Amino acid sequence: MELTGPIVLSDNRYGKAENRIVRIYRDSARHEIRDLNVSTVLRGDFADAYVSGDQSKVLPTDTQKQTAYALAKKPGVQPVEDYALALAAHFVDETEPVHSARVEIEEFAWQRVAVGGLEHDHTWVRQGPEVRTVTVTVAGKGVEQRAWVIGGVDDLVILKSTGSQFADFLVDDFTVLEPTNDRVLATAVNARWRFAATSGVAWDEVYAGIRTAMIEVFATRHSKALQQTLFDMGEAALEAYPVLAEVRLAAPNKHHFGYDLARFGIENHGEVFHAADRPYGLIHATVSRQDAPPAGPAWEP
Amino acid sequence: MELTGPIVLSDNRYGKAENRIVRIYRDSARHEIRDLNVSTVLRGDFADAYVSGDQSKVLPTDTQKQTAYALAKKPGVQPVEDYALALAAHFVDETEPVHSARVEIEEFAWQRVAVGGLEHDHTWVRQGPEVRTVTVTVAGKGVEQRAWVIGGVDDLVILKSTGSQFADFLVDDFTVLEPTNDRVLATAVNARWRFAATSGVAWDEVYAGIRTAMIEVFATRHSKALQQTLFDMGEAALEAYPVLAEVRLAAPNKHHFGYDLARFGIENHGEVFHAADRPYGLIHATVSRQDAPPAGPAWEP
Amino acid sequence: MELTGPIVLSDNRYGKAENRIVRIYRDSARHEIRDLNVSTVLRGDFADAYVSGDQSKVLPTDTQKQTAYALAKKPGVQPVEDYALALAAHFVDETEPVHSARVEIEEFAWQRVAVGGLEHDHTWVRQGPEVRTVTVTVAGKGVEQRAWVIGGVDDLVILKSTGSQFADFLVDDFTVLEPTNDRVLATAVNARWRFAATSGVAWDEVYAGIRTAMIEVFATRHSKALQQTLFDMGEAALEAYPVLAEVRLAAPNKHHFGYDLARFGIENHGEVFHAADRPYGLIHATVSRQDAPPAGPAWEP
Amino acid sequence: MELTGPIVLSDNRYGKAENRIVRIYRDSARHEIRDLNVSTVLRGDFADAYVSGDQSKVLPTDTQKQTAYALAKKPGVQPVEDYALALAAHFVDETEPVHSARVEIEEFAWQRVAVGGLEHDHTWVRQGPEVRTVTVTVAGKGVEQRAWVIGGVDDLVILKSTGSQFADFLVDDFTVLEPTNDRVLATAVNARWRFAATSGVAWDEVYAGIRTAMIEVFATRHSKALQQTLFDMGEAALEAYPVLAEVRLAAPNKHHFGYDLARFGIENHGEVFHAADRPYGLIHATVSRQDAPPAGPAWEP
């Protein structure tokens, strides 16, 4: 097929990615820390920059960086969702060519250390691998302006050593997998939840509560497949927080293969496993409230 | 806001990610190698697996793996696009609950080594960091079946030491960046191009040709901004191959900051740079033919 | 300079790296998990394999893998140090050409999840980024056999938001750094401690105790430089456990630069920082007991 | 065992790691690029900084950074070995407490792009994954000063699809590996070669020549094991360049397992492989001239 139509710019966006902002609150002897990776993305009237090289409507990505650091002082980053909303609104409100702004934040957790059994005022150790995420989109000027907040977690690595099966699946000519009624189930949950509100939410508490709800259902409910477990986790989050409109989950099945020790005359009843790297199953699920408000541009990258 | 509607599964998909398949063609003394990372994703009638744990319609991800390796023997992976089309069609054709299948492939390049100035028959060194990508979607059964092919490249790292400026941009209260009329421009191009056809294309030649077209325009056309350069690169690809419907580009601005040596009484006229890691500008552009056929599900993840 | 002497094999070793062994203890309803990355290295009478290709004295790395998994069942990996000693001794005792064996283990930590406030029997979440390490060397046959144990931690990422200075340093023509009396001090501690014994040590307790001792001194002692802080941490470990012969520490100075907001009329008194990636200071220290027994081959790679 | 002796600092060193220096030569229209990752390490009279926090003899790592960038302008980085020698000597010569300095450099390769078949003046694409390394040590003041140069390569990924076997190895109770007379042999060579001279060497030519010598022997000589192949590669480098004193090689055996397609009635005669991630064999060899001059501190980290 030969296309002959004119060549056009059909979509564009740009921003500054991965500003590594660390904010210390030191108003009292007991300091607080928020450790962020902040990315900003602007959409708007930027076609000239691409098509003719005219930069007159382009706010430099360096300026976006300066702004991200400046607003980390005031209004500050506590809670992170309000910071993201303020930063995104700043670009839309103060920069004429910007139609919408997206702020994506990873927050790295730090745990206050104990000294002699007491929490220390200004020392922490990093906790991971899990990372909390916040994604905010602000679109429109003045009274037309709307906003969306998506929370999330990446790399919540979780494992159960029993209470998981995989059997009674479809079989074809290439199926050699044996069904199993007792296996290790391990994954690294990547989840995103869309809020139906942008204010009046106890952001930090809700994050902790969703995490707990998902972990508890993973632990306690028997798994017939990772698919079922993901659905259950999304459902648990929605049930726990009616302010949530939908939850999107992506989870690798981190295979733990029982190691064949029978060759050596050794019994292995679910005790010795090889943790494989690649390939891995990859399961996606979206769980929603049927009365969820429209997502608008919330999920646009 | 409190949502009270029923909780439902609104979307799902699953597959086997990152099968590391290496295929050697050894029909003659001069071997050929194709080194692939193959991921498969299925969509279809899988809701029961999520909602009630019923796996009877689920083709195991292990079976998807076996199939990917089996089809690498025959029909083989030469060219990769035809392999991806065959593998995706296999799942849709042979597995009743599957409505559509997506196959995503990374191909790692190997360069035949020279021995005494002559190409060796069966030894290669890896070339990188750039990676060729192929993404195929096959949807629908029988005469309804349709297919889409997207080619691409990741991490084509390219740098020009002059012929790039950034000036006359928008200025606000947080703008401290100085305009420059001569800078290093470096990026790692990630591009995807959608074909308007699924057969009759010389896949390997077109890949090489698009790569050359993009590199040549990067090298020779003066850059007023990375935005402009990306548009030019997408346009060049479309102009070179009328079978292309659109090109999507994402490119970090890998900042090279001129190092301040004046403090030490040393002149630095664009000679010594610090290559920064983070943050970085991140620019996106989509360049299209206006008469491009509809994308359908081609870009769905 | 032109060398004309004969070319010889002057050193060699080989092994199987990164066996990802997960061991579940399920003798009661309350399971236990140990998640390991096990590497084995053999030294011995292997020159023929290199020089003439004669493999008759080479125990395949595949066999080393099988052995690592088999011994993970019995004697098991609880504690990891005893497993490493048994695995290394197995190779030396059972394989005639092996003169010495080294086993290097990374252990990944899992935290038992809470459900309704109670610890769950068989579900955990991964904890990181820190990784516990164990390195064992066993050399010699029969009564000549000796062994060494080195414990350690990698990527113990720790940060204090005050109580750190860097001033009164050496100044030369290239010194532009300003002294500071209040800065963020952050690092990722990589430490190794050599034990003066191979038995009679409460390995898991000692690991936890060394970690606590190092963290407490990092938190509470004012730092004049990362050098001083590392020495203090090593000293604290040695003081806490007289069974330790020496501690080797390597620590990047993860620079947190106060962000210049004065340009925007905003005060920044140690509140907003940029966490830099590269370059970074890198400090090494070895702290020893003067009456430490000889290290022998303990530190040989 | 309880140790009671005094606790002392027994070894130390410090420096600035990973300065990402890009040097453009633009004296003519045809530019040249050298892209470096430079780390500096100092040893000397620094005990007070560790033990008592006295920084008066400590040259800040920030100053080391400034110096690395300044010397990249002049004398410049062409060839890299001379730059490393000059930078290391600078620290020893100009900073009284420094007894020895080590400079470690990774060089990333760029290939000049072609435009219309002709090499372009100022545009390149990155080549990898292989990285050239240079390590220089300068020790001692004035006429006592000595220097050592080590060249090397990391991640030279090389594969042969035939001409490799592994058979007639030692067998024990845990050996299940089948011997093979035709397999894929793949590795990522990490090599270091110590020069017997620090001047009068055509550094860039010798690097290219060693690389070629190693590749040619890998390609053409039948392999009875990776051990033998590594020895052959080291020997070939030493034979090609009498200025080399020794070569140290470390190479993972990147296993390519023939995929079992017989289960599906499909023949697989060394055509379809699974490229495994972990575990992997890891082979080390040191090949030396017997009349090599002493290594001194050349290999100290």
Side-chain angles (χ1 to χ4, degrees):
Chain A
M1 179 181 280
E2 301 250 324
L3 302 175
T4 55
I7 294 170
V8 295
L9 179 75
S10 50
D11 191 25
N12 74 85
R13 65 184 187 276
Y14 80 102
K16 193 67 137 196
E18 302 206 35
N19 295 284
R20 289 287 292 110
I21 302 175
V22 175
R23 176 70 160 93
I24 304 292
Y25 287 88
R26 49 195 303 167
D27 309 303
S28 73
R30 185 180 168 92
H31 292 188
E32 301 288 338
I33 185 171
R34 302 299 290 249
D35 181 1
L36 309 180
N37 194 19
V38 179
S39 298
T40 59
V41 184
L42 306 183
R43 294 173 190 265
D45 188 11
F46 306 123
D48 288 350
Y50 289 84
V51 175
S52 68
D54 176 354
Q55 304 303 310
S56 62
K57 293 178 181 164
V58 168
L59 189 72
T61 65
D62 186 81
T63 303
Q64 298 176 40
K65 173 178 73 171
Q66 308 297 347
T67 310
Y69 281 90
L71 270 61
K73 172 66 192 292
K74 197 173 171 197
V77 302
Q78 195 108 280
V80 175
E81 286 78 2
D82 288 349
Y83 165 72
L85 285 162
L87 183 58
H90 170 91
F91 292 124
V92 179
D93 291 344
E94 305 295 331
T95 313
E96 198 280 328
V98 175
H99 299 169
S100 74
R102 186 177 182 82
V103 174
E104 301 181 349
I105 299 179
E106 295 179 306
E107 180 172 11
F108 309 114
W110 291 85
Q111 181 180 40
R112 204 175 280 276
V113 306
V115 174
L118 298 177
E119 289 193 339
H120 194 261
D121 271 348
H122 58 254
T123 306
W124 301 265
V125 291
R126 265 280 273 126
Q127 279 196 300
E130 71 194 71
V131 172
R132 177 177 171 183
T133 70
V134 173
T135 306
V136 158
T137 304
V138 171
K141 308 277 189 180
V143 295
E144 306 282 306
Q145 192 166 91
R146 298 249 353 240
W148 292 264
V149 177
I150 293 171
V153 65
D154 278 344
D155 287 323
L156 173 60
V157 181
I158 188 164
L159 178 151
K160 61 196 297 184
S161 54
T162 191
S164 164
Q165 67 174 72
F166 188 58
D168 303 320
F169 41 74
L170 192 63
V171 169
D172 71 3
D173 290 349
F174 289 114
T175 301
V176 293
L177 184 73
E178 295 290 332
T180 176
N181 289 300
D182 188 13
R183 63 172 185 173
V184 164
L185 182 65
T187 187
V189 177
N190 297 287
R192 295 289 182 277
W193 41 87
R194 177 164 60 93
F195 288 91
T198 59
S199 62
V201 180
W203 301 112
D204 290 353
E205 283 174 44
V206 171
Y207 175 79
I210 291 171
R211 186 182 178 282
T212 296
M214 294 198 306
I215 287 173
E216 289 194 350
V217 82
F218 180 94
T220 57
R221 208 167 301 173
H222 183 81
S223 172
K224 289 187 176 172
L226 183 50
Q227 282 89 328
Q228 184 190 26
T229 300
L230 283 189
F231 178 77
D232 289 349
M233 292 170 80
E235 184 184 48
L238 290 166
E239 284 175 349
Y241 293 99
V243 72
L244 297 182
E246 61 173 316
V247 182
R248 298 186 175 189
L249 301 114
N253 193 337
K254 295 171 82 76
H255 304 303
H256 285 63
F257 296 115
Y259 206 81
D260 178 9
L261 299 178
R263 296 174 288 180
F264 312 120
I266 301 172
E267 284 189 340
N268 181 15
H269 294 313
E271 294 155 303
V272 178
F273 296 88
H274 172 63
D277 291 309
R278 294 189 291 186
Y280 49 91
L282 185 54
I283 316 297
H284 288 80
T286 302
V287 188
S288 307
R289 284 274 183 193
Q290 273 194 335
D291 56 345
W299 297 106
E300 282 179 13
Chain B
M1 178 182 279
E2 302 249 326
L3 302 174
T4 55
I7 295 170
V8 296
L9 179 75
S10 51
D11 192 25
N12 74 84
R13 64 184 187 277
Y14 79 102
K16 193 68 140 194
E18 304 207 36
N19 295 284
R20 290 287 292 108
I21 301 175
V22 174
R23 177 68 161 95
I24 304 293
Y25 287 88
R26 47 195 303 167
D27 310 303
S28 74
R30 184 180 169 91
H31 293 189
E32 301 289 339
I33 185 172
R34 301 300 289 252
D35 182 1
L36 309 180
N37 194 19
V38 178
S39 299
T40 59
V41 185
L42 307 182
R43 292 173 192 266
D45 187 12
F46 307 124
D48 289 349
Y50 290 83
V51 175
S52 68
D54 176 354
Q55 304 304 312
S56 61
K57 294 177 180 166
V58 168
L59 190 72
T61 66
D62 185 80
T63 303
Q64 298 177 41
K65 174 179 73 171
Q66 309 296 348
T67 311
Y69 281 90
L71 270 62
K73 173 66 193 292
K74 193 172 174 198
V77 302
Q78 195 107 276
V80 176
E81 287 77 2
D82 288 348
Y83 165 72
L85 285 162
L87 182 58
H90 169 90
F91 291 124
V92 179
D93 293 343
E94 304 296 330
T95 313
E96 198 282 327
V98 174
H99 299 168
S100 74
R102 186 178 182 82
V103 174
E104 302 181 349
I105 300 180
E106 296 179 305
E107 181 173 10
F108 308 113
W110 291 85
Q111 182 180 40
R112 206 175 278 277
V113 305
V115 174
L118 298 176
E119 288 193 338
H120 195 261
D121 271 348
H122 58 254
T123 307
W124 303 263
V125 291
R126 263 281 272 128
Q127 278 196 300
E130 73 193 70
V131 173
R132 178 178 172 182
T133 69
V134 172
T135 307
V136 158
T137 304
V138 172
K141 309 276 188 180
V143 295
E144 305 282 305
Q145 193 165 93
R146 298 247 355 239
W148 293 264
V149 176
I150 293 171
V153 66
D154 278 343
D155 287 322
L156 174 60
V157 181
I158 189 164
L159 178 150
K160 62 196 295 187
S161 55
T162 190
S164 164
Q165 66 175 72
F166 188 58
D168 303 321
F169 41 74
L170 192 63
V171 170
D172 72 3
D173 290 349
F174 289 113
T175 302
V176 293
L177 184 74
E178 295 290 330
T180 175
N181 289 300
D182 189 11
R183 63 171 184 173
V184 164
L185 182 64
T187 187
V189 177
N190 298 287
R192 295 289 181 277
W193 41 86
R194 176 163 62 93
F195 289 91
T198 59
S199 62
V201 179
W203 300 112
D204 290 353
E205 283 174 45
V206 171
Y207 176 79
I210 291 172
R211 186 183 178 282
T212 297
M214 294 199 305
I215 286 173
E216 289 193 353
V217 82
F218 180 94
T220 57
R221 208 166 302 173
H222 182 82
S223 171
K224 290 188 175 171
L226 182 50
Q227 281 90 329
Q228 185 191 25
T229 300
L230 283 190
F231 178 78
D232 289 350
M233 293 170 80
E235 185 184 49
L238 290 166
E239 284 176 346
Y241 294 98
V243 72
L244 297 183
E246 61 174 316
V247 182
R248 297 187 174 188
L249 301 113
N253 193 337
K254 296 170 79 78
H255 304 302
H256 286 63
F257 296 115
Y259 206 80
D260 178 9
L261 299 178
R263 297 174 287 179
F264 313 120
I266 300 172
E267 284 188 339
N268 180 16
H269 294 314
E271 293 156 303
V272 178
F273 294 89
H274 172 64
D277 291 308
R278 293 189 293 185
Y280 48 90
L282 184 54
I283 317 297
H284 289 81
T286 302
V287 189
S288 308
R289 285 274 183 196
Q290 273 194 335
D291 57 345
W299 297 108
E300 281 179 12
Chain C
M1 181 182 279
E2 302 248 324
L3 302 174
T4 55
I7 295 170
V8 295
L9 178 75
S10 51
D11 192 25
N12 75 85
R13 65 183 187 276
Y14 80 102
K16 192 67 137 195
E18 302 206 36
N19 296 284
R20 290 285 292 107
I21 302 175
V22 174
R23 176 70 161 93
I24 304 292
Y25 287 87
R26 47 195 302 166
D27 309 303
S28 72
R30 184 182 171 90
H31 293 187
E32 302 289 338
I33 185 171
R34 302 300 289 249
D35 182 1
L36 308 180
N37 195 18
V38 179
S39 299
T40 58
V41 185
L42 306 183
R43 293 173 190 265
D45 186 11
F46 307 124
D48 289 349
Y50 289 83
V51 176
S52 68
D54 176 354
Q55 304 302 313
S56 61
K57 293 178 181 165
V58 168
L59 190 71
T61 66
D62 186 80
T63 302
Q64 297 177 41
K65 174 178 73 170
Q66 308 298 347
T67 311
Y69 282 89
L71 272 59
K73 173 67 192 293
K74 195 171 171 200
V77 302
Q78 196 106 284
V80 176
E81 286 78 2
D82 287 349
Y83 165 72
L85 285 162
L87 183 57
H90 169 91
F91 292 124
V92 179
D93 292 343
E94 305 295 330
T95 314
E96 198 281 328
V98 175
H99 299 168
S100 73
R102 185 177 182 84
V103 174
E104 302 181 349
I105 300 180
E106 295 179 305
E107 180 172 11
F108 308 114
W110 292 85
Q111 182 180 40
R112 205 175 279 276
V113 305
V115 175
L118 297 178
E119 289 193 338
H120 194 262
D121 271 349
H122 58 253
T123 307
W124 302 264
V125 292
R126 263 281 274 127
Q127 278 195 300
E130 72 195 71
V131 171
R132 177 177 170 182
T133 70
V134 172
T135 307
V136 158
T137 305
V138 172
K141 309 276 189 182
V143 295
E144 305 283 304
Q145 194 166 90
R146 297 246 357 236
W148 294 263
V149 177
I150 293 171
V153 65
D154 277 344
D155 287 322
L156 173 61
V157 181
I158 188 164
L159 178 150
K160 62 197 292 185
S161 54
T162 190
S164 165
Q165 68 175 72
F166 188 59
D168 303 320
F169 41 73
L170 191 63
V171 169
D172 71 4
D173 289 351
F174 289 114
T175 301
V176 293
L177 184 73
E178 295 290 331
T180 176
N181 289 300
D182 189 13
R183 64 171 184 173
V184 164
L185 181 65
T187 187
V189 177
N190 298 288
R192 294 289 181 279
W193 42 87
R194 175 163 62 91
F195 288 91
T198 59
S199 62
V201 179
W203 300 110
D204 290 353
E205 282 174 46
V206 171
Y207 176 78
I210 291 172
R211 186 182 177 281
T212 297
M214 294 199 305
I215 286 174
E216 289 193 352
V217 82
F218 181 94
T220 56
R221 208 168 301 173
H222 183 81
S223 171
K224 289 188 174 172
L226 182 51
Q227 281 89 329
Q228 184 192 25
T229 300
L230 284 189
F231 178 77
D232 289 350
M233 293 170 80
E235 184 185 49
L238 290 166
E239 284 175 349
Y241 293 99
V243 71
L244 297 182
E246 61 173 315
V247 181
R248 297 188 174 188
L249 301 115
N253 194 336
K254 297 172 79 77
H255 303 303
H256 285 64
F257 295 116
Y259 206 80
D260 178 9
L261 299 178
R263 297 173 289 179
F264 313 121
I266 300 172
E267 284 188 340
N268 181 16
H269 294 313
E271 293 156 305
V272 178
F273 295 88
H274 172 62
D277 291 309
R278 293 189 293 184
Y280 49 91
L282 184 54
I283 316 297
H284 289 80
T286 300
V287 188
S288 308
R289 285 272 183 195
Q290 274 194 334
D291 55 345
W299 296 108
E300 280 179 13
Chain D
M1 180 183 279
E2 302 248 324
L3 301 175
T4 55
I7 295 170
V8 296
L9 180 75
S10 50
D11 192 25
N12 75 85
R13 63 185 189 274
Y14 80 102
K16 193 68 140 193
E18 303 207 37
N19 296 284
R20 289 287 291 109
I21 302 176
V22 175
R23 177 69 162 93
I24 305 292
Y25 287 87
R26 47 194 303 167
D27 309 303
S28 74
R30 183 180 170 92
H31 293 187
E32 301 289 340
I33 185 172
R34 302 300 289 251
D35 182 0
L36 309 180
N37 194 20
V38 179
S39 299
T40 58
V41 184
L42 306 183
R43 293 173 190 264
D45 187 11
F46 306 124
D48 289 349
Y50 289 83
V51 176
S52 67
D54 176 356
Q55 304 302 313
S56 61
K57 293 177 180 166
V58 168
L59 190 72
T61 66
D62 186 81
T63 302
Q64 298 177 40
K65 173 178 74 171
Q66 308 298 346
T67 310
Y69 281 90
L71 270 61
K73 173 66 193 292
K74 197 174 172 196
V77 302
Q78 194 109 281
V80 176
E81 286 78 1
D82 287 350
Y83 165 72
L85 285 162
L87 182 59
H90 169 92
F91 292 124
V92 179
D93 292 343
E94 304 296 329
T95 312
E96 199 280 329
V98 175
H99 299 167
S100 75
R102 186 177 181 85
V103 174
E104 301 181 348
I105 299 180
E106 294 179 306
E107 180 172 11
F108 309 113
W110 291 86
Q111 181 180 40
R112 207 174 278 277
V113 306
V115 174
L118 297 176
E119 288 193 339
H120 194 261
D121 271 349
H122 59 254
T123 306
W124 303 263
V125 292
R126 264 280 273 127
Q127 279 195 301
E130 71 194 70
V131 172
R132 177 178 172 183
T133 69
V134 173
T135 306
V136 158
T137 304
V138 172
K141 309 277 189 180
V143 295
E144 307 282 305
Q145 194 166 91
R146 299 250 350 242
W148 293 264
V149 177
I150 294 171
V153 65
D154 278 343
D155 287 323
L156 173 61
V157 181
I158 189 163
L159 178 150
K160 62 196 294 186
S161 54
T162 190
S164 164
Q165 67 174 71
F166 187 58
D168 302 321
F169 41 75
L170 192 63
V171 170
D172 71 4
D173 290 348
F174 290 113
T175 301
V176 293
L177 185 74
E178 296 289 331
T180 176
N181 289 300
D182 189 11
R183 62 171 184 172
V184 164
L185 182 65
T187 187
V189 176
N190 298 286
R192 295 288 182 278
W193 41 86
R194 177 162 62 94
F195 289 91
T198 59
S199 62
V201 179
W203 301 112
D204 290 352
E205 283 174 45
V206 171
Y207 176 80
I210 291 171
R211 185 183 178 281
T212 296
M214 293 198 306
I215 287 173
E216 290 194 351
V217 82
F218 180 94
T220 57
R221 206 167 303 173
H222 182 80
S223 171
K224 290 189 175 169
L226 182 50
Q227 281 90 328
Q228 183 191 26
T229 300
L230 284 190
F231 178 78
D232 288 351
M233 293 169 79
E235 184 184 50
L238 289 166
E239 284 175 348
Y241 293 99
V243 72
L244 298 183
E246 60 173 314
V247 182
R248 298 187 174 187
L249 300 114
N253 193 338
K254 297 171 81 75
H255 304 303
H256 285 62
F257 296 115
Y259 205 80
D260 177 10
L261 299 178
R263 296 174 288 180
F264 312 120
I266 301 172
E267 284 189 341
N268 181 16
H269 294 313
E271 293 156 302
V272 178
F273 295 88
H274 171 63
D277 292 308
R278 293 189 292 185
Y280 48 91
L282 184 54
I283 316 298
H284 289 81
T286 301
V287 188
S288 307
R289 285 274 183 194
Q290 272 195 336
D291 57 344
W299 296 108
E300 280 179 13

